[in-house]
Amino acid sequence: MTASSVHPAQVLLGAQGGVARLPVCDHYSGVEARMRKSLQLQAELAAEFGHCVFDVTLDCEDGAPVGQEREHAALVAALARGAAPQARVAARVHTVDHPAFANDMATIAGEAGDRLCHIMVPKVESVDDVLRAEKALLDAGAAHLPLHVLIESPAAVHRAFEIAAHPRVQSLSFGLMDFVSAHGGAIPASAMGSVGQFTHPLVVRAKLEIAAACHAHGKVPSHCVVTEFNDTAAMQAAATRAASEFGYTRMWSIHPGQIRPILAAFAPAQDEIDQAARIVTAAAAADWAPISAGGVLHDRASYRYFWQVLERAHQTGRTLPETVRPWFID
């Protein structure tokens, strides 16, 4: 086998090869009309970019009308079953201590588990909550499904490394507004805004703890929402900071207008993509031995970094140079 025929991920990622490469945007909707529109938009952008560039998470926690939780879970299961074959559809269920949780899992994971990419569990406080959710998955016959969890309290942040270490957990998300309100007024409301959430020390610390826990255990850190959904500049700025300063590789969207700004913020710049393509193709030609490029030494450590730049470019719908496109053909 020639060097060029060996896939870079096989050569470079090693133990990191098991890390999930998820779309950088996770879009939430809970009202029936919006859930249907979200799935339609996902299909349209998949056609535009050639592959799925964001997940659609159908929401039971905030989407189900009080008293109609069973009906809403049945609707979510039906929408997931009816989604296009290439769709990436997830569901957020109620908290593990909510009366509707067991039915959510039995209905959604049990009836549509083969069409889901994951289940999101909100307000996870400890590994015990993960174990309870995992048992519900197994009882529903959905042993293959990963769990994504929401970290929303100071105690949960304290346990983030333990939670991230659980093999069923694929991603940790930060629940900003619940985290702020859990402090009983000790954190001002401004810390829930698109700017204040990046400056208040307790919020910054929580974000960094969650990102660090994910990277320590090969999981995906997913950044919180920006509630100013009509302010594209605020959305773009927040997403850029989450990606470039806080170590997040994924972010929530709560409005269709936020999806493209998230994709743009998490995408590498074109000059980074071009540089990465040159270095990785030269490395493959050298059978992955060290090379000099522009007077700079590169070896497998930097090859790994530049390969991940190319992966992120692909995830965010960027056009890849011809030399590396064959590696990204499904």
Side-chain angles (χ1 to χ4, degrees), residues 190-251:
S190 60
M192 292 188 283
S194 60
V195 176
Q197 64 175 282
F198 291 100
T199 58
H200 193 282
L202 286 175
V203 177
V204 168
R205 174 182 172 273
K207 289 187 181 189
L208 294 176
E209 283 289 299
I210 291 168
C214 286
H215 291 300
H217 293 289
K219 308 302 170 68
V220 177
S222 187
H223 195 265
C224 58
V225 300
V226 170
T227 55
E228 301 97 319
F229 55 82
N230 284 324
D231 190 337
T232 302
M235 180 70 228
Q236 188 85 38
T240 299
R241 293 199 70 180
S244 62
E245 299 177 30
F246 284 73
Y248 282 80
T249 57
R250 181 168 161 99
M251 187 167 179

Side-chain angles (χ1 to χ4, degrees), residues 66-239:
V66 175
Q68 298 180 40
E69 290 87 357
R70 297 181 73 88
E71 293 83 354
H72 196 79
L75 171 63
V76 166
L79 290 173
R81 289 196 307 271
Q86 72 276 13
R88 285 185 55 88
V89 187
R92 177 165 68 162
V93 296
H94 286 85
T95 59
V96 297
D97 59 354
H98 192 282
F101 172 76
N103 181 72
D104 282 354
M105 294 293 273
T107 301
I108 298 169
E111 297 179 9
D114 60 335
R115 295 295 296 113
L116 297 173
C117 53
H118 64 267
I119 293 282
M120 165 60 77
V121 184
K123 296 179 175 59
V124 167
E125 290 291 310
S126 69
V127 174
D128 287 343
D129 290 346
V130 176
L131 293 173
R132 187 169 174 181
E134 181 179 45
K135 183 180 184 303
L137 276 183
L138 298 178
D139 291 345
H144 63 289
L145 276 179
L147 293 174
H148 291 199
V149 303
L150 255 172
I151 303 297
E152 304 184 67
S153 75
V157 170
H158 178 69
R159 302 182 187 110
F161 280 80
E162 297 173 38
I163 294 168
H166 192 283
R168 178 71 59 174
V169 173
Q170 187 180 59
S171 175
L172 268 62
S173 293
F174 178 48
L176 171 66
M177 290 179 285
D178 280 281
F179 178 80
V180 171
S181 63
H183 284 75
I187 300 177
S190 60
M192 292 188 283
S194 60
V195 176
Q197 64 175 282
F198 291 100
T199 58
H200 193 282
L202 286 175
V203 177
V204 168
R205 174 182 172 273
K207 289 187 181 189
L208 294 176
E209 283 289 299
I210 291 168
C214 286
H215 291 300
H217 293 289
K219 308 302 170 68
V220 177
S222 187
H223 195 265
C224 58
V225 300
V226 170
T227 55
E228 301 97 319
F229 55 82
N230 284 324
D231 190 337
T232 302
M235 180 70 228
Q236 188 85 38

